[in-house]
Amino acid sequence: MIVTFLQSAPIQTILVHKLTNILSNKLQTHVEIRSVNFAFFNNVILNGVYIEDLNKDTLLYAGNIKASIRRLPLFGRNLSLGRIQLSDGEFNLRIDTAATNIQRVVWKLSPPDRVKDTTSNKPVFPIMNIHSLELNNFAFSMYRDEQDSIDRSPHSMNFRDLSVDSIYLRANKIHVKNDTLFFNAEKLCLKEKSGYRIHSLTADCYIVPGKDVRLNNAEIIDDFSHVKMDYFGMTYNEGDDFKDFVNKVTLTGDFKDSQVSFKSIGYFAAALQNLDITANINGMVTGPVANLKSNDLYVKGFNNTILSGRFSMTGLPEINETIIYADLKQLRTQPRDFFTAMHEITGDEMYSLENFLSNVEQVDFKGSFTGLYNDFVANGTLTSNLGLLNLDVLFKTDLKSKGIEFSGKVSTPQFDAGTLLKTNLIGHTSFNLMTKGQVPKNSNPNLFGEGVISELMFYDYKYENIKLSGTVREN
């Protein structure tokens, strides 16, 4: 009887009018609802819902809202909903130095100067609980009302001016308290105007707008990457840090068997977007993009390259200015993987060096790298099918002119120099040399060595304790 009464058109018209008046007066802003339909006693369907913020801009529009209401905040500050579904709509967040547009509207329900935490004297915001939430075909924008002098690529994320559409969200256990949002995301899909697309995100989420984002047990699939993390955190200062994301937003990610592409990272650091490099990552990474660190990282990429150890990278996204420090427990690679990486970074081939190293198979290195990717010191032990080398060598690459230059100290207890140099005249050797040389981009290498060759097989005859100061050239 009551349900039939509430479903009649005249009664619904009256209810819409009353409801919009109550909400408009309570929120002190313009509210419209095209139609309302009640089913049973606590279920409501709203069509054409429009809420303005206090600046008369669209805060929320939803073509359709279905909700089961458990408790309204009319005589207290708690709102409890069962299941809520929103479709065909948009939500627009505007942030200035004082507050967000949604905070200003929410304050009309429970003004922060009236409701205080008696222990800290801080404003307390209304508490909201939602059993489950589904968004379908929704859009979201976030705009910060402040100057931004950074020149941004249209294909990178601008966290001062976000615009997201094609949103589908299925979430449960939603709780809002003191401007903090908790929820379990069963699935989230979206596309940002930069072109970045998330096909699926699942996580337990904790969000403080303008301050902190935390995801536990997260799995993210986008166009290029499949990321799994026990924990992901993003901390920043409201109103400032997102203007300079790469330097000021601190990231923490505990990666578990994640396939990470530089093309995905490039949406957040545009200089990396054209690098077609994907790696499997395990371990904790912390810091802003410009100063990333890991105390125990395992990376596997290309065909057969493995890196594990401590790393830091300072200077991203400008790869040519990034200082890399790596304390490697293990680096296992093949020359082909190295040349593929260098080609992706520089756009150039290294044919003469490839030919020079064509007899080198798997390489294992344990030690440290310090410097730029094209100007660094390698200090450690390198083992290959040719033998063992102890290195303390500076490497410089200038592929557009000189190729690769190196200088430093090299020693070995036994090394197959003849196979490296592609000659039968020389066999195994042991030496302790100060060396320098050059491997030009498209010509044969030049090598200079000075020191002692403790043993050298030459024409099948062993020579010992040779003092050397000379140059090797391949004509």
Side-chain angles (χ1 to χ4, degrees), residues 32-35 46-50 61-65:
E32 289 184 13
I33 302 174
R34 188 173 67 248
S35 65
L46 305 175
N47 297 303
V49 177
Y50 173 79
Y61 173 77
N64 180 268
I65 300 176

Side-chain angles (χ1 to χ4, degrees), residues 312-332:
S312 68
M313 302 180 72
T314 304
L316 288 173
E318 298 301 328
I319 189 66
N320 292 323
E321 300 174 8
T322 297
I323 297 174
I324 303 169
Y325 172 75
D327 182 8
L328 295 172
K329 297 178 184 176
Q330 178 187 35
L331 165 57
R332 174 170 293 176

